[in-house]
Amino acid sequence: MKINLRSKSLLRGVAAMAAAGAVAGGLVLVGAGSASAAASLDLKWDCPFPPLADQTLDTNISVNLPATIATNTQTGALAVTVDATVPATATQGLDLVGGTNLSGSATAKATLNEPGGQTLDLNIPLTIPTTAIPQDGSAFTVHATGSAPSIQFATAGSGSVVVDPAFSMVLHITNASGAATSLPDPYNTNCTANTGQNMQLATFTVTGGSGGGTTTTTTTPPTTTTTTPPTSTTTTTTPPSSTTTTMSMPSTTTTTTSAGGGTTTTGGGGGGPLVLHYAVNGSAHLTTLGSDIKVGPGTLTVNVDLATGNLSGPLALPNNTTSFNLFGFVPGTAEVSLTPTGPVTGTFKQGVVNVDVKETVGLVNVTIFGGIPLVSNSSTCQTTTPSDIKLASGSDFTITNGGSLSGKFDLSGLNNNCGGLGGFISVFTQGTGNTLSVKVTPTTS
């Protein structure tokens, strides 16, 4: 028995993982018999993928179910096979965080409405084997397998299978060396079906028998990673009373809480950039003055193009004050401004960030010997050429938690708007090999 699931509109970036597990999200196979009929159902799901906002997942579910099932006959354990096509836009999102392989498990839920009004709750684990993620950003197919339990009906009549409005996935996204990417590992998500949809997957008929008795299930544990052993409970009453059998198949439950608490937004249903919001804090070291300048607290918002990995966005930093010593014995202080001449630009590929920002460095106030002013309340005393600052992410950087960025930059001389001692000050400020180290952490906006 094979189920073909076709994803129509998967979310970008890490949302691609939904395609791998959505196969489980509305699929239950029940029964076997001499006749079969094709059943098909289109459903939309909302799936949260931290730090992404909820995205809409469109799925088409098709399955061959027996049209008729004889009473008092075990159906035998039934194989469940799911093929999910991950579109190119979703693949590009996985490539963006350095993903080269995908694997994991999913739990499908449904309600079997038996003849006579009884119900059977089913949780079916599916295994998602290790699947290569194309590095060229092209679409690929995820193949998931599991099995439904054997069922025996004692009562004749009509029944149906109704998909549960929720499903869960536990996924592992790894890089070329087999290590986890910047996404949490394991990556857990719980999806819910959009309201107002028809959730009935199929109907069937149980033939023969006179009614009453007990409906039984025989569980054949599927090959999957589980933490809870299967249990089966059967309640029997004297005919013609109704009977309800509840069967719980093995399931894997893992809880992961991503740090940071920040938000990332994307356009619903795919398309548009990935938007990341960060707080920025750090310091810059000026080699000629031998002093450190506090950087931040500032803000950085970047838009990431999932198809190319290119990013761009505004950086805002406040003025900060630094202390220094001229000639090693003349103490002074300077209030320094950092004004970007354009947005931060760069790339986010394979989990690594490389960015470039051009900053004009200004001197707002400069004093020596505890109060002698050299520059006072200036908005025009600044470097003649913006500093080109190139930053690269450290090994601690992840898309969910942010991390460190560092690099080097040069400082040009000062312009002619720094007063009579501007040239004197310029000698001590300009130079090469200055360093900047910052840490970015997710924020809500």
Side-chain angles (χ1 to χ4, degrees):
M1 190 172 301
K2 184 174 182 180
I3 303 169
N4 293 314
L5 181 148
R6 191 172 59 254
S7 174
K8 299 176 181 175
S9 178
L10 291 183
L11 47 146
R12 293 159 291 138
V14 295
M17 298 179 298
V23 298
L27 306 179
V28 174
L29 302 187
V30 181
S34 57
S36 64
S40 181
L41 183 65
D42 290 322
L43 291 174
K44 291 180 179 291
W45 304 86
D46 283 334
C47 299
F49 292 89
L52 298 175
D54 282 4
Q55 299 293 312
T56 299
L57 179 69
D58 294 331
T59 61
N60 173 263
I61 304 167
S62 62
V63 58
N64 290 325
L65 287 175
T68 59
I69 305 169
T71 56
N72 302 314
T73 302
Q74 285 286 340
T75 62
L78 301 175
V80 179
T81 302
V82 181
D83 292 315
T85 299
V86 181
T89 52
T91 307
Q92 291 159 8
L94 290 174
D95 291 344
L96 195 68
V97 296
T100 59
N101 289 289
L102 178 151
S103 62
S105 62
T107 300
K109 297 182 180 181
T111 298
L112 172 64
N113 296 309
E114 304 173 28
Q118 305 96 322
T119 60
L120 182 66
D121 296 327
L122 298 174
N123 294 326
I124 300 179
L126 297 179
T127 298
I128 303 170
T130 300
T131 304
I133 301 169
Q135 297 303 290
D136 60 0
S138 61
F140 70 104
T141 299
V142 174
H143 186 74
T145 59
S147 76
S150 177
I151 301 174
Q152 175 178 306
F153 297 98
T155 304
S158 298
S160 64
V161 178
V162 178
V163 175
D164 192 90
F167 73 92
S168 61
M169 297 178 286
V170 179
L171 300 172
H172 303 277
I173 309 298
T174 55
N175 58 27
S177 63
T181 66
S182 57
L183 297 171
D185 183 53
Y187 194 105
N188 298 343
T189 189
N190 297 298
C191 301
T192 57
N194 290 182
T195 58
Q197 298 183 100
N198 171 33
M199 304 298 291
Q200 181 171 285
L201 175 61
T203 59
F204 61 92
T205 301
V206 179
T207 61
S210 57
T214 303
T215 297
T216 61
T217 62
T218 301
T219 64
T220 303
T223 302
T224 186
T225 302
T226 63
T227 57
T228 305
T231 59
S232 179
T233 304
T234 302
T235 304
T236 304
T237 59
T238 303
S241 300
S242 63
T243 302
T244 299
T245 301
T246 300
M247 186 280 298
S248 176
M249 291 295 291
S251 62
T252 300
T253 302
T254 308
T255 301
T256 298
T257 302
S258 62
T263 61
T264 301
T265 58
T266 62
L274 177 69
V275 182
L276 305 171
H277 302 278
Y278 294 111
V280 180
N281 287 279
S283 65
H285 179 74
L286 304 183
T287 56
T288 52
L289 285 176
S291 63
D292 294 317
I293 303 174
K294 179 181 179 182
V295 175
T299 60
L300 172 64
T301 299
V302 292
N303 294 263
V304 184
D305 185 323
L306 292 176
T308 63
N310 294 335
L311 62 83
S312 177
L315 170 66
L317 295 171
N319 296 355
N320 277 300
T321 300
T322 183
S323 298
F324 59 87
N325 282 287
L326 298 180
F327 309 112
F329 63 88
V330 179
T333 61
E335 181 183 352
V336 180
S337 65
L338 296 173
T339 305
T341 60
V344 173
T345 59
T347 61
F348 179 36
K349 295 181 178 180
Q350 299 295 300
V352 177
V353 173
N354 285 282
V355 295
D356 179 87
V357 60
K358 293 177 174 58
E359 296 272 351
T360 296
V361 180
L363 296 180
V364 180
N365 292 288
V366 179
T367 62
I368 58 174
F369 290 117
I372 301 175
L374 299 183
V375 177
S376 298
N377 298 320
S378 176
S379 60
T380 57
C381 175
Q382 58 192 29
T383 52
T384 56
T385 304
S387 295
D388 189 6
I389 306 173
K390 299 183 186 299
L391 302 173
S393 60
S395 59
D396 63 330
F397 191 91
T398 69
I399 190 173
T400 52
N401 300 331
S404 60
L405 299 168
S406 60
K408 294 184 177 182
F409 64 98
D410 298 338
L411 278 176
S412 67
L414 298 174
N415 60 20
N416 296 322
N417 299 319
C418 299
L421 295 177
F424 172 75
I425 300 171
S426 183
V427 172
F428 295 95
T429 57
Q430 70 183 61
T432 62
N434 305 294
T435 59
L436 175 64
S437 298
V438 296
K439 186 169 184 178
V440 298
T441 53
T443 62
T444 55
S445 62

